[in-house]
Amino acid sequence: MVVAALAVRLIAGALGPLSEDEAYYRLWSLQPALGYFDHPPMIAWWIWAGRQIAGDTPLGVRLLPILAAGVTTLLTFDLARALGFSECVAARAGVWLNATVLMGLGGQLAVPDQPNALFWTATLCCAVRATSGRPAWWLGAGAMAGLACLSKYSALFLAPGVLLWLALTPDGRRALRTPWPWLAAAVALAVFAPNIAWNASHGWMTFAKQFGRIEPTAGLQPSYVLKFVTDQFVLLNPLIAVFVGLAVRRRIAWPLLAIAAPFAAYLLVHSLHDEVQGQWPAPLYPMLMVAAAAAAEGVTGWRAGLRAAAAPLAFAVFPAMLAFTLLPSDGRLPFRDPAMSLRGWPAFLHAVEAARVKAGASWIGAPTYGIAAQLAASPHIHAPAVEFYERERFTFETPAERADFSKPGLIVVPGRGAGAGAMRGCFASVQMLPEIDRGAGRGMTRYAVFRVEGPKRDIQRTGCFRPPLLKF
């Protein structure tokens, strides 16, 4: 099963176009560093390594994350066995991890959640062994936790989760009276320290970006709680979600539930005032699959039917969904195309380059990091690509990658006629050109196109800020 899932992901990863986020992380990998504006550096390091092996291709970008999904499956099996569950339960946990929508369909994407889930699960495998009379495993747990923190800051919730688990058992409390768990914390801090040092030398930009999410920006928004719960019910796979709920209610595999509790509580509190992105709980999924697989053991009646159908149904549907995403679409669908964000990029980028050449522009600009990253990653584009709204995202750029703003540029903005006012506030000369479409049918996105010249501000340093109340 692991080999089959790996093969499918490798094929899908090679054939599928990069998402905007993946294209952005690819830009990071061109300049490996100890940190970036949005996240710590692990995903950039992985993409860099994959590109050395498989080239600067979608497969090269995704190679290590795809392999990591397979390793995470094996670690999920190992975690269940280390906790004393049967081989049947452990195998079911590994299979179900691949049957979740989030990990099953998203397992080929090059995003920080992939290394985070792998190292988070590896941390728990080491910690469980450490509490079984082999305390030296705490050092491995600390190293894996540090690598998880270098993947995504949500791994910082590992510390209170493990502490809660240890504090709730006599054996755990005895372990806390030894130096081993505290040595693990020191090892984790040492591994994570390079990113802390990088942030200190860059104005704490990543910490400010990510930890700024903690502070509520609006009042209570109960609709976000409903969205969070609904999203996770779907992403877990509704049939598997039933057994996750059963495990929580019966406190099955409770050490894992205790470890997951601090991060899960934060996500729930966050959803009271802001949206929780569907992939944020990804590092909890291996733990939840172990608990769900244990809860499914010995069930009868309709629950036995759900247990039997959970994985086969997913493995029947997922290939069809991947094929729908990868195959071309003429846009004649009775519903909005859910894969529209991945469609139409090659033709669109080719049209943008043709418009640039015709306009005599020496650089191309975009108002979002995702579009700018797609422009930079395209073999069709032969000019520097500039994101001109959040310039702090691009501190990794080298002088050779920067645009010459003394020369004309071409700017593309999603939306019919969008951005004209902002362009005139940033450039002395603004000429609207014919719009360019990406995709077709109900999901088509239309882009306004401008030839600009004579910047009124330092675009390279501060970007082109949007005037109040003006939206692209």
Side-chain angles (χ1 to χ4, degrees):
M1 187 281 299
V2 175
V3 175
L6 179 61
V8 171
R9 289 190 180 110
L10 286 171
I11 294 171
L15 297 178
L18 298 179
S19 68
E20 292 188 6
D21 280 349
E22 288 178 299
Y24 179 52
Y25 301 143
R26 172 197 164 272
L27 289 180
W28 290 2
S29 76
L30 301 180
Q31 301 294 333
L34 295 175
Y36 300 90
F37 174 74
D38 299 79
H39 291 293
M42 187 62 70
I43 189 62
W45 296 349
W46 279 23
I47 293 173
W48 179 89
R51 288 173 52 244
Q52 309 313 303
I53 299 169
D56 196 6
T57 63
L59 180 59
V61 170
R62 294 168 171 151
L63 181 60
L64 263 66
I66 289 172
L67 296 178
V71 176
T72 304
T73 299
L74 298 177
L75 288 173
T76 301
F77 176 91
D78 183 69
L79 178 61
R81 293 294 285 151
L83 286 166
F85 292 112
S86 69
E87 188 169 314
C88 179
V89 169
R92 183 184 301 125
V95 170
W96 278 9
L97 180 66
N98 290 272
T100 63
V101 177
L102 180 62
M103 305 299 282
L105 284 179
Q108 75 271 11
L109 298 179
V111 292
D113 307 279
Q114 294 285 35
N116 190 27
L118 185 150
F119 292 125
W120 188 304
T121 310
T123 300
L124 300 186
C125 290
C126 293
V128 169
R129 282 180 168 78
T131 58
S132 302
R134 291 171 283 180
W137 278 97
W138 278 115
L139 302 181
M144 293 299 103
L147 293 173
C149 292
L150 286 176
S151 303
K152 203 169 183 180
Y153 291 153
S154 58
L156 293 170
F157 283 97
L158 265 170
V162 171
L163 183 61
L164 178 63
W165 161 48
L166 295 177
L168 290 175
T169 64
D171 288 344
R173 289 191 291 272
R174 280 192 293 272
L176 289 173
R177 291 193 290 268
T178 72
W180 291 103
W182 311 108
L183 285 173
V187 170
L189 181 60
V191 173
F192 183 43
N195 182 248
I196 299 175
W198 182 91
N199 267 278
S201 64
H202 288 76
W204 303 103
M205 64 164 61
T206 322
F207 287 3
K209 164 74 174 177
Q210 295 298 340
F211 298 149
R213 298 177 186 272
I214 297 175
E215 183 180 356
T217 57
L220 290 177
Q221 302 284 335
S223 61
Y224 287 131
V225 179
L226 179 61
K227 183 179 184 303
F228 171 49
V229 174
T230 303
D231 285 352
Q232 293 310 306
F233 182 75
V234 173
L235 292 174
L236 279 165
N237 176 332
L239 303 187
I240 296 175
V242 171
F243 295 101
V244 172
L246 185 63
V248 172
R249 183 165 65 86
R250 295 181 178 176
R251 292 186 293 178
I252 296 173
W254 75 265
L256 299 181
L257 300 180
I259 294 169
F263 186 37
Y266 163 73
L267 293 174
L268 184 60
V269 171
H270 186 93
S271 71
L272 292 173
H273 62 82
D274 203 355
E275 182 179 2
V276 172
Q277 299 296 322
Q279 74 277 12
W280 288 2
L284 302 182
Y285 272 49
M287 291 186 286
L288 293 178
M289 291 308 101
V290 173
E297 189 72 357
V299 296
T300 58
W302 63 271
R303 289 194 180 98
L306 292 184
R307 181 186 65 190
L313 184 61
F315 295 146
V317 171
F318 289 175
M321 296 176 70
L322 286 173
F324 172 80
T325 301
L326 296 176
L327 293 175
S329 171
D330 60 8
R332 290 183 293 183
L333 296 171
F335 51 85
R336 182 174 177 83
D337 187 349
M340 195 60 233
S341 64
L342 297 174
R343 297 199 194 279
W345 283 107
F348 168 74
L349 295 167
H350 190 275
V352 169
E353 175 65 6
R356 180 193 71 81
V357 172
K358 184 176 180 180
S362 67
W363 54 272
I364 302 177
T368 70
Y369 71 87
I371 299 174
Q374 292 283 21
L375 291 167
S378 172
H380 303 297
I381 303 295
H382 303 291
V386 181
E387 195 274 357
F388 58 82
Y389 176 48
E390 294 180 291
R391 290 302 304 155
E392 63 270 26
R393 286 182 178 271
F394 290 82
T395 55
F396 54 83
E397 284 182 341
T398 65
E401 297 171 316
R402 293 170 185 163
D404 183 355
F405 292 104
S406 67
K407 297 178 180 179
L410 188 84
I411 291 180
V412 293
V413 181
R416 183 187 294 270
M423 295 304 98
R424 295 188 183 98
C426 292
F427 298 93
S429 173
V430 178
Q431 178 187 358
M432 184 172 287
L433 302 179
E435 295 174 337
I436 300 176
D437 296 336
R438 180 174 63 80
R442 298 179 64 181
M444 180 186 69
T445 301
R446 179 154 289 171
Y447 291 76
V449 182
F450 305 92
R451 182 188 187 276
V452 299
E453 196 170 1
K456 296 180 179 180
R457 62 180 83 226
D458 186 349
I459 303 296
Q460 178 62 49
R461 187 174 63 85
T462 61
C464 181
F465 294 106
R466 292 183 288 186
L469 303 181
L470 178 62
K471 296 183 178 180
F472 286 106

